[in-house]
Amino acid sequence: MRYILCTMKILITKAAPDRLRTKPSGDKALGFGKLFSDHMFLMDYVEGRGWKDPRIVPFGPLALPPTAVVLHYAQEIFEGLKAYYAKDGGICLFRPERNAERMNRSATRLCMPPVPVEDQIRAIEELVRIDRDWIPRNHGASLYIRPAMIATESALGVHPSTEYLYFVVTGPVGAYYARGFEPVSILVEENYIRATRGGLGEAKTGANYAASILAAKEAKAKGYDQVLWLDAERRRFVEEVGTMNIFFVFGGELVTPPLSGSILPGVTRDSVIELAKEWKIPVYERPVEIDEVIRRAEDGSLTEAFGSGTAAVISPVGAFCYRGRESRVGDGKVGELSLRFYEGITGIQYGEVEDRHRWVHRVE
Ligand SMILES: Cc1ncc(COP(=O)(O)O)c(C=O)c1O
């Protein structure tokens, strides 16, 4: 296989002024993932020739044959990160190299060609610079960045595609907590599973999300915000929550399930663990049984639980419902550590707190 090296020349075709898309007037109605900026980055791969034609073009439909491998066998991977204006007016990304590295690990699992980390970051930087007017100014609102790779070869046999498209699109998203930092209620899922060890769970690939939507839909219909996934083999150990990793505070100790192969290694998860170490909070990556969670919620030694992920950063859990019974976490309100991690991470992101870990990547 040949890949491009780290010096790509990006051909830029800007959208004609009369083709520019209408920008939203305020940040309030932005929501998530409904609006997209004016341009997108594209690059093609052909086996034996490597990556070629890196280009930025006006946002628009992709031309694919109905027989493209991705449409039948889901050979697809993606990432999600954000660009935002820091307090000093600079445009920043948060640990983008982590997303690029994870993209390449996902690529390996799905038999797809990696894209050098430097090139992924350059593609994002160029795109964000061109569409900088799309980055919302309100605190908490941001430009969501979605890099993805799809198998484009026209062939119906099940095999690794010989052709791929890597693309990046962006779009403004509103502040996740526009109505305030609120706890969510979670349904512990015993029927469906998201992923299994040896499967695709630790890759960020569409197939995992396809497997999850029915459970999420049913949980919503029952009045819950998210599902808590249990391990596929025994439905005994906690894996992750919706599209976030999960943390518990047991008697002052922070505990999160280990990266066992079936959960996504979250960038936010890693940031929480690093901050906990810096703040001298005991933190453990160990298997967590759902029985322990419920027992300790009932006896009061589970004082907090929260999800971690790019979209919400920290999402406090107010209650778990397991086998038809609701167990409140702590007093059901936002816990002290949940708030501390939320403010710690967003503080670093927005340049309000010193960036000791050098996590903020500035787009000059
Ligand atoms: C299944 C799943 N787990 C965890 C996460 C959290 O990962 P990150 O912190 O990198 O956003 C995500 C979000 O990308 C996810 O989709």
Side-chain angles (χ1 to χ4, degrees), residues 4-12 40-43 54-56 81 93 96-97 100 115-131 145 147 166 168 170 361-364:
I4 51 156
L5 294 174
C6 305
T7 50
M8 58 179 182
K9 191 167 170 349
I10 303 174
L11 192 72
I12 296 174
M40 61 185 182
F41 176 91
L42 305 175
M43 176 161 72
R55 58 203 184 273
I56 288 177
L81 66 164
L93 307 170
E97 68 291 344
V115 177
V117 167
E118 293 87 337
D119 292 312
Q120 292 190 54
I121 295 178
R122 258 212 63 213
I124 290 169
E125 284 180 335
E126 283 295 332
L127 192 60
V128 166
R129 259 187 228 118
I130 285 182
D131 279 335
I145 302 164
Y166 171 86
V168 187
T170 70
H361 178 104
R362 298 186 82 89
V363 179
E364 304 302 341

Side-chain angles (χ1 to χ4, degrees), residues 94-102 117 121 358-359 361:
F94 187 68
R95 309 185 78 183
E97 68 291 344
R98 287 291 178 134
N99 294 92
E101 287 159 5
R102 188 170 66 190
V117 167
I121 295 178
R358 303 173 131 251
W359 285 340
H361 178 104

Side-chain angles (χ1 to χ4, degrees), residues 78-81 99 102 144 194 201 203-204 208-209 229 240-246 263-270 308-311 313:
F78 66 97
E79 270 302 325
L81 66 164
N99 294 92
R102 188 170 66 190
Y144 184 76
R194 189 192 86 96
K204 201 158 168 68
N208 289 328
Y209 298 80
W229 298 108
E240 48 190 338
V241 55
T243 55
M244 289 181 283
N245 296 112
I246 181 94
I263 71 175
L264 194 77
V267 178
T268 322
R269 175 187 183 277
D270 183 75
S308 69
T310 297
V313 183

Side-chain angles (χ1 to χ4, degrees), residues 54-261:
R55 58 203 184 273
I56 288 177
V57 295
F59 180 93
L62 303 173
L64 279 184
T67 43
V69 171
V70 62
L71 300 177
H72 302 270
Y73 309 121
Q75 203 189 359
E76 183 266 359
I77 55 174
F78 66 97
E79 270 302 325
L81 66 164
K82 288 168 169 177
Y84 49 90
Y85 278 109
K87 209 171 95 184
D88 64 4
I91 299 170
C92 298
L93 307 170
F94 187 68
R95 309 185 78 183
E97 68 291 344
R98 287 291 178 134
N99 294 92
E101 287 159 5
R102 188 170 66 190
M103 182 86 173
N104 283 345
R105 289 197 303 276
S106 301
T108 303
R109 179 63 182 87
L110 274 285
C111 285
M112 301 170 93
V115 177
V117 167
E118 293 87 337
D119 292 312
Q120 292 190 54
I121 295 178
R122 258 212 63 213
I124 290 169
E125 284 180 335
E126 283 295 332
L127 192 60
V128 166
R129 259 187 228 118
I130 285 182
D131 279 335
R132 64 196 310 143
D133 292 348
W134 282 89
I135 308 175
R137 291 273 175 182
N138 270 9
H139 186 87
S142 56
L143 188 74
Y144 184 76
I145 302 164
R146 169 55 59 88
M149 193 194 299
I150 57 173
T152 51
E153 186 192 349
S154 170
L156 286 185
V158 180
H159 68 288
S161 174
T162 55
E163 293 169 23
Y164 296 90
L165 175 71
Y166 171 86
F167 62 90
V168 187
V169 294
T170 70
V173 296
Y176 197 88
Y177 290 110
R179 285 179 295 123
F181 195 47
E182 283 173 8
V184 292
S185 53
I186 303 292
L187 181 69
V188 181
E189 178 58 64
E190 277 201 280
N191 189 19
Y192 305 112
I193 52 136
R194 189 192 86 96
T196 158
R197 280 184 209 190
L200 299 175
E202 63 185 351
K204 201 158 168 68
T205 177
N208 289 328
Y209 298 80
S212 76
I213 50 184
L214 180 58
K217 183 180 159 198
E218 290 183 4
K220 282 245 152 62
K222 291 180 191 152
Y224 294 94
D225 299 293
Q226 297 270 2
V227 300
L228 183 73
W229 298 108
L230 300 180
D231 76 284
E233 289 85 6
R234 288 185 281 176
R235 311 284 203 278
R236 187 169 146 202
F237 294 99
V238 172
E239 300 244 297
E240 48 190 338
V241 55
T243 55
M244 289 181 283
N245 296 112
I246 181 94
F247 284 85
F248 302 96
V249 183
F250 292 133
E253 291 178 346
L254 194 60
V255 178
T256 192
L259 299 176
S260 56

